[in-house]
Amino acid sequence: VEAHGQARRLDLDDNFTGFFVDPELGDRQGEEHAFLGGGLRARYLHALPGDADIDAGIDLIADRFEQSRDHLDQGGDVIAPELAVAGSHMGAGAHLGLTYRTETVHAEAGARADALRVFARDELGAETGSGSAVSLSPRLAAAVTPGEAWTLSAGYGHGVRPPEATGGLGDEALSWVSSRAVDVGARYRPENRLEVSVTGFGIFIPSELIYDHVTREQVDEGATRRLGVELAAHYEPAPWLALRADATAVSARFRDDGEPIPGPASLLGTLEARAHHPGGWRGGARLRARGPRPLGFGAQADPSAAVDVVAGYDWGDLAFDLTVENATGARLADGAYYYASRFDRDAPLSQLPELHYTAGPPRIARLALTYAF
């Protein structure tokens, strides 16, 4: 049995659209989020006769939240409040799982049930409300080793996203948003120095939420599906050298019209090499690459790549480590979005969307000294 708790607060001052919504005073906004919560968790593990284990547990949570958003002028003073809500959650969950393992078979089956009660209050509209929601999430997984070098695996499961915090307000009934995921894979390891794996997966979400930078709201865009494949390889051609490569290709689209989901890259990949010398020296390099990312209205974000390098030396109980991220100083775009804005007050107001970027990390160097005693 364990108890847990947390408290957090977040203050944001942002302006995503310049002078688009309010051409005179601007679209600057201040947001505040406060959260206080905790709970209890109990887990029971028991070995059954034979090669099986049982895993059971319960969770209890309770929390309170407050969220506000104000329209600010250019000096940071409040023009008008736009959102002020508060509320609480009370929830309970239980899970039950069974694991069976032998030298050639590993199988798991289980399910989790969750119940949530939400209380919410709109401070501006003087409205209160509450609601309840329940969910059941089954999962299955199995891995078979038909020979010394091969392992075949498959899995299926449900995941859930809890209702929005303000779901207790309004007339619609609360409901969890469930997602379904399936994967099938194979791993080939003919020797300790070499391992290759491939996994195909599918993720299906009935209600995809996309953030609208103009309205500052999460918008339900409908059902989506993600189909992809992951490839990974690890090879040690020499005792002092390790090579690793992995790649993920995914097709993420809306199920109704087949249009791509804004944001997810269609291709991700990593190449890495690490070496170590018996005298204590070590080093390595990693290349991270990301393919084009589809955005709204047919736009697309450019692909990007970055190189990280590491070096170190062990001297008795001392270890020196140097890490340089984005060693080449590439201009990286962390986020890419496509929406209408107006940051130039002298420019005419236009409803046409434009590309917006958030900067990725610059060249970052870290030097660490570790002493073991």
Side-chain angles (χ1 to χ4, degrees):
V1 179
E2 64 180 33
H4 60 89
Q6 62 173 308
R8 63 178 184 264
R9 180 180 177 87
L10 176 64
D11 295 331
L12 295 176
D13 189 331
D14 57 58
N15 188 344
F16 295 128
T17 51
F19 293 84
F20 180 76
V21 178
D22 190 330
E24 296 298 326
L25 300 176
D27 305 339
R28 182 178 176 181
Q29 292 192 342
E31 300 185 41
E32 295 182 359
H33 304 258
F35 174 89
L36 178 63
L40 294 173
R41 181 182 298 118
R43 189 180 183 188
Y44 173 73
L45 300 173
H46 180 69
L48 299 175
D51 300 306
D53 298 322
I54 190 171
D55 180 1
I58 58 173
D59 299 270
L60 301 174
I61 63 166
D63 62 56
R64 175 174 174 78
F65 66 89
E66 295 180 356
Q67 179 180 357
S68 65
R69 184 174 67 235
D70 298 320
H71 184 193
L72 307 179
D73 63 17
Q74 296 308 296
D77 295 325
V78 176
I79 299 173
E82 296 185 348
L83 176 70
V85 296
S88 60
H89 299 105
M90 291 191 299
H95 73 269
L96 178 65
L98 181 66
T99 301
Y100 173 79
R101 60 173 65 87
T102 65
E103 292 184 357
T104 58
V105 176
H106 182 107
E108 298 180 7
R112 178 180 176 87
D114 289 279
L116 185 70
R117 181 70 174 172
V118 177
F119 302 88
R121 181 176 71 256
D122 183 349
E123 304 285 3
L124 299 181
E127 178 186 2
T128 60
S130 61
S132 302
V134 296
S135 70
L136 179 64
S137 307
R139 62 178 177 85
L140 297 168
V144 180
T145 306
E148 294 184 358
W150 286 95
T151 300
L152 308 178
S153 61
Y156 173 81
H158 278 209
V160 293
R161 184 180 71 224
E164 290 294 305
T166 56
L169 302 173
D171 299 328
E172 294 187 8
L174 283 179
S175 64
W176 298 76
V177 177
S178 64
S179 64
R180 295 177 293 118
V182 60
D183 63 82
V184 178
R187 185 182 67 181
Y188 178 63
R189 189 177 183 181
E191 53 179 315
N192 291 333
R193 298 188 306 159
L194 175 64
E195 181 176 316
V196 180
S197 64
V198 57
T199 303
F201 63 88
I203 302 174
F204 307 90
I205 302 176
S207 178
E208 184 85 23
L209 295 180
I210 304 295
Y211 185 73
D212 187 330
H213 289 80
V214 177
T215 63
R216 313 290 179 97
E217 301 289 344
Q218 298 278 7
V219 181
D220 185 352
E221 297 288 357
T224 61
R225 59 101 177 126
R226 291 165 172 82
L227 302 176
V229 60
E230 296 179 347
L231 301 172
H234 179 86
Y235 180 51
E236 297 181 8
W240 53 270
L241 179 63
L243 306 175
R244 184 177 67 87
D246 61 73
T248 301
V250 62
S251 171
R253 296 185 175 273
F254 291 100
R255 298 179 65 180
D256 290 340
D257 54 17
E259 290 296 315
I261 303 172
S266 58
L267 183 64
L268 297 170
T270 302
L271 294 174
E272 184 175 2
R274 289 184 177 267
H276 66 273
H277 189 274
W281 293 98
R282 48 192 158 76
R286 180 179 61 176
L287 171 65
R288 298 175 286 120
R290 179 171 57 187
R293 287 172 288 170
L295 304 175
F297 306 100
Q300 182 174 273
D302 294 333
S304 63
V307 176
D308 307 325
V309 296
V310 295
Y313 179 70
D314 296 326
W315 184 34
D317 294 331
L318 287 174
F320 301 87
D321 291 280
L322 174 65
T323 303
V324 182
E325 298 181 14
N326 189 13
T328 62
R331 299 184 58 167
L332 303 176
D334 185 27
Y337 313 95
Y338 196 60
Y339 57 88
S341 65
R342 180 174 174 255
F343 287 94
D344 184 357
R345 300 184 68 176
D346 296 328
L349 184 64
S350 174
Q351 300 291 333
L352 296 178
E354 296 180 296
L355 277 172
H356 299 76
Y357 294 97
T358 56
R363 182 187 295 112
I364 301 175
R366 294 194 301 268
L367 181 63
L369 174 63
T370 304
Y371 176 68
F373 59 92

